[in-house]
Amino acid sequence: MTDSTRPYGAQDPQHSSYPEPPAYPPQQPVTTAGGVTVWPGDGAGSGGDGGRPPYAGFAEPVPQPPAPRGGHRARKPVALLAAVAIVAAVVGGGSAALVGELTSRADRVSQSTPVQNASSRSNGGVAAVAKAVSPSIVEIKASTTSGQSTGSGVIITGDGEIVTNNHVVAGADTVQVVLSDGSTKTAKVVGTDPGKDLALIKLQGASGLKAAKLGDSGKVGVGDEVVAIGSPEGLTGTVTSGIVSALDRDVTVSKEQGQGQGQERQRRGVPQWPFEFGGNQYNGDTGSSKTTYKAIQTDASLNPGNSGGALINMNGEIIGINSAMYAPSSATGSGDSAGSVGLGFAIPVDTVKADLAKLRAGGGDS
């Protein structure tokens, strides 16, 4: 059979590279009633090319060669789709993990740290200590026949019991107390202990006051941070800070009346806040009647008027009652004080707690 008489699509035995003829004749294009010609292969899922005639330019459609035997061409798209799905899953999982981690980090960042006051953590800072304890610190103005003594005190009960130094109120005719809110109340002296330089006074008609928390001076260590609050030179609520410089310092103070510190007495040239340490006298003559106690030494700035105020640890607890300081110029008898030079002393709060019962009963050892 010649080429001219070979049936359409028949394979020439000598040209085995040609594909076998299709099992059915090619589909012809169909023209709809609206005049739209639909070519074979158009439609959803047909794999066509969007309605473009696949046989354009040919008078007679030429059949496309079928896929090779074995179905390799058919499996490749499936394998490709599977690979794409796996990659998408991996990328999607990684994205989810990344988003989850970022969300977790954002949650950790956005969580606000609870605000804690000074009494609930050890590193609240000076500002936290001052905020927590300042309402419990007062200014004391004790009037005597020789003038007015100005010092500080610590509220220890809600109804107005206040601990201060004996030398602040010794011989006082009247005692006025200025609270942290600026209000003034009259107080009476309940008991004094000149041997420990401690005194207890009580506000008249007071209630609902914020009492300070008394700590444990036995746990105080050298180098511990401390805060001092008092009324130096009548400046109510003054806050200073420093560290514990030493423990168990033997400090000797006068037990006599008229040796207390104060602004009026300073103007009259009377030595203020006299004490002895290491065999030397500071800030004037302590007199013949003396008492010695073990003190906490601090470099927190103390000045006249801090006497009877609080020395506080960083938990907001009272660890001492400030009682003595060294002022160089007043040691020479000058009426002007040069202020604190970082040598201050406080009566340990354990001494105060042990003496409270006696003070409430009217006094301790003289």
Side-chain angles (χ1 to χ4, degrees):
M1 182 180 298
T2 64
D3 292 339
S4 59
T5 59
R6 184 181 300 123
Y8 171 80
Q11 183 176 357
D12 187 348
Q14 297 180 356
H15 299 84
S16 58
S17 61
Y18 287 95
E20 295 181 359
Y24 50 86
Q27 296 181 356
Q28 298 300 316
V30 178
T31 301
T32 64
V36 178
T37 301
V38 180
W39 292 85
D42 261 353
S46 66
D49 55 1
R52 181 173 49 83
Y55 310 119
F58 291 90
E60 185 179 39
V62 179
Q64 297 295 318
R69 291 186 180 88
H72 296 295
R73 182 183 299 273
R75 281 200 303 268
K76 285 182 180 180
V78 174
L80 178 59
L81 290 175
V84 171
I86 292 173
V87 171
V90 171
V91 172
S95 299
L98 178 61
V99 171
E101 174 65 15
L102 292 176
T103 303
S104 176
R105 290 179 182 177
D107 289 343
R108 289 197 296 269
V109 171
S110 63
Q111 289 174 355
S112 59
T113 302
V115 176
Q116 297 175 314
N117 61 29
S119 63
S120 61
R121 66 176 186 176
S122 61
N123 58 346
V126 174
V129 172
K131 182 178 180 180
V133 185
S134 287
S136 303
I137 311 302
V138 301
E139 179 184 0
I140 298 174
K141 297 179 179 180
S143 298
T144 68
T145 56
S146 59
Q148 186 180 72
S149 174
T150 303
S152 304
V154 180
I155 299 173
I156 60 171
T157 62
D159 60 353
E161 284 190 337
I162 297 173
V163 171
T164 186
N165 285 139
N166 173 68
H167 72 253
V168 172
V169 296
D173 299 321
T174 60
V175 177
Q176 297 291 316
V177 175
V178 181
L179 301 178
S180 62
D181 61 3
S183 62
T184 301
K185 291 184 176 295
T186 301
K188 67 175 183 177
V189 177
V190 176
T192 62
D193 187 347
K196 295 183 176 65
D197 195 17
L198 291 173
L200 181 69
I201 64 175
K202 177 79 180 300
L203 296 180
Q204 298 179 359
S207 63
L209 301 179
K210 183 175 182 180
K213 181 178 180 180
L214 303 183
D216 184 353
S217 53
K219 295 181 179 179
V220 175
V222 174
D224 288 353
E225 292 182 90
V226 290
V227 175
I229 304 179
S231 303
E233 305 295 346
L235 301 174
T236 306
T238 296
V239 177
T240 58
S241 64
I243 63 168
V244 172
S245 304
L247 299 172
D248 298 325
R249 294 297 200 195
D250 288 326
V251 174
T252 301
V253 297
S254 173
K255 295 169 60 176
E256 299 173 356
Q257 295 183 7
Q259 294 292 332
Q261 58 81 30
Q263 292 174 332
E264 292 296 329
R265 294 176 186 178
Q266 176 182 349
R267 293 193 187 100
R268 296 182 183 185
V270 177
Q272 55 182 309
W273 219 341
F275 73 98
E276 293 181 6
F277 173 73
N280 297 317
Q281 291 187 343
Y282 299 93
N283 304 351
D285 185 5
T286 57
S288 59
S289 181
K290 308 173 184 178
T291 184
T292 301
Y293 56 83
K294 299 289 186 180
I296 299 171
Q297 181 181 334
T298 178
D299 70 349
S301 179
L302 301 180
N303 289 284
N306 273 115
S307 184
L311 189 68
I312 313 157
N313 65 17
M314 302 311 289
N315 289 327
E317 301 167 335
I318 310 300
I319 59 169
I321 300 297
N322 297 320
S323 59
M325 50 83 67
Y326 171 53
S329 64
S330 62
T332 64
S334 171
D336 296 325
S337 173
S340 174
V341 293
L343 287 175
F345 302 91
I347 302 169
V349 74
D350 287 355
T351 301
V352 177
K353 291 189 291 185
D355 206 34
L356 274 178
K358 291 182 179 180
L359 291 173
R360 285 169 174 154
D365 297 335
S366 58

